């Protein structure tokens, strides 16, 4: 009988320890849950990401403008082919980000092809814009990082290389066809969604 009682006591103690352990784990999970559920924190990351996207965009536009002014749009296509991705990579390092990139559903460079999750948001933004809504950024949280998706809208300068083919300078179009035989990035008008800046930020503890 004593032996059975001891076994029963040990079983009860084990159950209580496991239960307490689970409750502790649940409490920890609640304390370290999705930080973006806090509106103020969400807005802080959203604003920070917008700043990074704006800074990267300014650097890229500055370099493209200099390329166009020095040797024309065809040279700018050559610049994008060799320098655009290294430039964004260096910006990512300078801004201390996990990563910074441009993506599109109609990419020119294969390295800028949007993944499934990015494509979903691009399609949602297009639908929203067709309904007269503004293209807004959003954040996603996963593990140790916060990812921001920031819309890229076409402007007048973009039309040098991304307009309908009939409106692109023949030398520029020839250079596009030479460097990007699978190009899908023409046929745009101004104020259309070109793609996204994708900003990966480390989640602060």
């Amino acid at each position: 009988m004593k032996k059975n009682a001891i076994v029963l006591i040990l079983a009860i103690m084990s159950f209580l320890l496991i239960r307490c352990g689970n409750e502790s784990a649940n409490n920890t999970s609640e304390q370290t849950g999705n930080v973006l559920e806090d509106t103020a924190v969400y807005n802080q990351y959203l604003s920070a990401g917008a700043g990074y996207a704006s800074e990267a965009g300014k650097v890229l536009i500055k370099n493209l403008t200099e390329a166009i002014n020095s040797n024309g749009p065809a040279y700018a296509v050559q610049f994008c082919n060799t320098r655009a991705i290294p430039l964004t990579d260096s910006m990512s390092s300078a801004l201390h980000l996990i990563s910074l990139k441009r993506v599109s559903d109609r990419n020119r460079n294969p390295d800028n092809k949007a993944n499934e999750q990015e494509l979903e948001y691009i399609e949602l933004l297009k639908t929203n814009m067709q309904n007269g809504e503004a293209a807004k950024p959003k954040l996603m949280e996963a593990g140790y990082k916060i990812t921001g998706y920031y819309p890229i809208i076409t402007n007048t300068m973009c039309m040098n290389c991304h307009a309908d083919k009939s409106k692109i300078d023949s030398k520029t179009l020839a250079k596009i066809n030479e460097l990007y035989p699978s190009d899908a990035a023409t046929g745009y008008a101004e104020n259309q969604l070109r793609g996204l800046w994708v900003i990966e930020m480390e989640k602060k503890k």
Side-chain angles (χ1 to χ4, degrees):
M1 289 293 291
K2 279 187 177 181
K3 188 175 181 180
N4 290 338
I6 292 171
V7 171
L8 180 59
I9 291 169
L10 289 173
I12 292 171
M13 289 177 65
S14 297
F15 171 79
L16 291 173
L17 286 170
I18 292 170
R19 183 177 177 183
C20 289
N22 287 339
E23 287 177 353
S24 176
N26 288 336
N27 289 336
T28 302
S29 177
E30 289 173 2
Q31 292 168 5
T32 59
N34 191 328
V35 300
L36 297 183
E37 290 176 356
D38 185 320
T39 302
V41 173
Y42 186 97
N43 288 335
Q44 287 174 6
Y45 278 105
L46 192 70
S47 179
Y52 297 137
S54 176
E55 186 68 22
K58 286 176 183 177
V59 171
L60 190 59
I61 289 172
K62 177 179 179 290
N63 281 270
L64 281 174
T65 301
E66 290 175 353
I68 291 172
N69 290 340
S70 62
N71 289 294
Y75 177 70
V77 174
Q78 179 73 48
F79 169 84
C80 281
N81 179 256
T82 59
R83 294 295 306 145
I85 288 180
L87 189 61
T88 54
D89 286 345
S90 66
M91 284 294 296
S92 176
S93 178
L95 296 170
H96 306 292
L97 299 170
I98 297 173
S99 73
L100 179 154
K101 63 180 180 177
R102 291 177 303 147
V103 301
S104 178
D105 56 328
R106 292 163 57 185
N107 55 291
R108 174 158 290 167
N109 189 324
D111 291 335
N112 295 129
K113 184 176 181 179
N115 63 31
E116 186 176 348
Q117 190 172 41
E118 293 157 353
L119 284 171
E120 286 180 4
Y121 195 57
I122 287 172
E123 290 304 316
L124 176 61
L125 288 176
K126 284 184 176 181
T127 300
N128 290 346
M129 291 175 73
Q130 288 172 358
N131 293 331
E133 299 177 29
K136 297 179 180 179
K138 78 164 185 176
L139 300 178
M140 296 288 289
E141 179 180 356
Y144 64 92
K145 67 183 179 182
I146 305 290
T147 303
Y149 302 96
Y150 296 86
I152 299 172
I153 306 298
T154 55
N155 57 27
T156 302
M157 189 178 74
C158 299
M159 297 301 100
N160 286 300
C161 303
H162 295 289
D164 289 329
K165 290 183 178 181
S166 62
K167 298 178 180 179
I168 297 175
D169 174 77
S170 59
K171 290 183 179 179
T172 303
L173 188 59
K175 182 60 68 174
I176 291 171
N177 292 333
E178 174 192 341
L179 297 175
Y180 304 101
S182 299
D183 175 56
T186 57
Y188 285 94
E190 290 185 44
N191 299 313
Q192 289 187 327
L193 184 69
R194 173 75 185 92
L196 301 170
W197 280 106
V198 181
I199 314 290
E200 291 188 342
M201 300 167 277
E202 187 173 355
K203 183 167 64 177
K204 296 177 182 178
K205 295 181 180 179

